[in-house]
Amino acid sequence: MTAGADVIIVGGGPAGSSTAWHLARAGARVTVVDRAGFPRAKPCSEYLSPEASRLLDAMGVLVACERAGAAELAGMAIRAPDGARAVGRFDGAHGFHGYRDRGLALRRTVLDGILLDAARGAGARVAEGTQVTDLLRGPHGEITGVRTLDDRGAAAEMRATLVVGADGLRSVVARRLGLARTAAHPRRLAFVSHWRGVRGMGALGEMHVERDGYCGLARVDDGLTNVAVVVPVEDARAAKGRAADFLASWIAARPHLAPRFAGAQPVDDVMVTGPFAQRARRAWAPGAALVGDAADFYDPFTGEGIFAALRGGELLAPFALAALGASREREARAAMAAYDRARRAAFGGKWRLERLVALAVGSPVLMGRAARALAARPELADLLVGVTGDFVPPREVLSLSYVSRLLWFAARPVPAPAVP
């Protein structure tokens, strides 16, 4: 049995590193465990919203991310299945301003190392190559630690007052707590890789919605393009064992995308992740908490996973510290229940918007009308993209005023768009 800690954080990605940094700098004894060795690849859109820069700056790593070559994103372009195209910019969300007027994009092989080093610098201990296999429980079912298996096959137990599950979409912690829940819709898988030489990549991230899925494109560091194709689970079954061929064939079948990949080359293996639409019933249990994708991940279209991970760690920290300092078990549980309420208040508007966006993405007619309405009224597009940039409150686009304006322009007869 290893020496104990105040907090064991399972997962060394952005959620785990953010949680570790905030807790360790406040004086908590923190251990981060991850089954991988870093750097390691991770399927992800790798998009950091303008407001994510505030969190990076608070952790002292924003300059390091920029020096690592993070690409800058000025906004997002959305293309509907019928060719209608709308653009929203981060510097145009009328009356709202992000921490910066641009987003960033940096490969996870680079970003995660920067964040994990920050956690170490704050005093956290990091155990790489250490897989959590189960949770330890006390006499009343409360979580008291974890069971682990290292990369040499050695088993161990680690004790802590609080265990934080920051271990992503397939969270072992959430499953062992019995909190993991999967929605019936939308059930999608993502195929992600990096390409060199994709033509026409500019300062905008791009989302190309098709009748059978969507494709996200964005510049990242080292002159590469992050390419993510997201399709229904039933369509992805044909890709088993041939993920690279599936992604390339999907792109080649799109006349507006295929010419941009002429001469382009993938520089790494295609990674597959999903199904999505995962949400924990609640983000805590006695002696445990969930953060980042382990607590919630609905769909990657809005690309806010990294911000939610970083913000989740920041949000959890004061409640975790209160639980650690509680003199009674009842007080510790009250602190974690308060964390769950704060998390719902912070992210609830985003969750509602994600579901509305998923409805539009799943309906070619609705997506086309929405794209034409956003193109006709750029200020509406700017506000929507500002929400995905995490600096415009979701209520601005969930309001009756915004929805009525969008529907009015969507219902107007317009000329058929020219399909490239």
Side-chain angles (χ1 to χ4, degrees), residues 15 43-44 49 89 117-118 132 134-135 186 199 218 230 245 254 291 301 307-308 312 358 366 373 396 408:
C44 178
S49 68
R89 299 184 180 276
D117 283 346
V132 169
D134 207 349
L135 303 177
R199 299 176 180 177
V230 182
D245 290 341
R254 273 70 193 173
V291 69
F301 189 88
F307 170 82
L366 182 59
E396 293 295 322
W408 190 84

Side-chain angles (χ1 to χ4, degrees), residues 216-228:
L217 304 175
R219 293 185 302 120
V220 292
D221 54 293
D222 195 29
L224 300 174
T225 297
N226 179 297
V227 179

Side-chain angles (χ1 to χ4, degrees), residues 69 112 192 277 294 377:
D112 287 10
V192 186
R377 292 296 298 269

Side-chain angles (χ1 to χ4, degrees), residues 162 179 281-290 315-316 318-324 326 329-346:
L162 179 68
L179 296 176
R281 291 188 291 110
R282 65 176 186 272
W284 74 283
L290 301 173
L315 189 65
L316 170 60
F319 298 100
L321 292 168
L324 292 175
E329 178 62 26
R330 181 175 61 187
E331 295 172 353
R333 295 189 181 201
M336 298 317 298
Y339 158 64
D340 201 40
R341 291 193 297 272
R343 182 176 162 274
R344 292 175 184 274

Side-chain angles (χ1 to χ4, degrees), residues 9 12-14 16-26 30 32 38 55-65 110-126 128 310:
I9 299 173
S17 292
S18 174
T19 306
W21 184 86
H22 283 93
L23 290 175
R25 72 189 295 267
V30 178
V32 179
F38 289 78
L55 299 162
L56 297 174
D57 210 7
M59 294 177 65
V61 298
L62 179 57
V63 171
C65 290
V110 180
L111 175 66
D112 287 10
I114 291 173
L115 294 173
L116 203 53
D117 283 346
R120 288 191 181 96
R125 173 179 172 265
V126 179
E128 300 179 35
L310 296 172

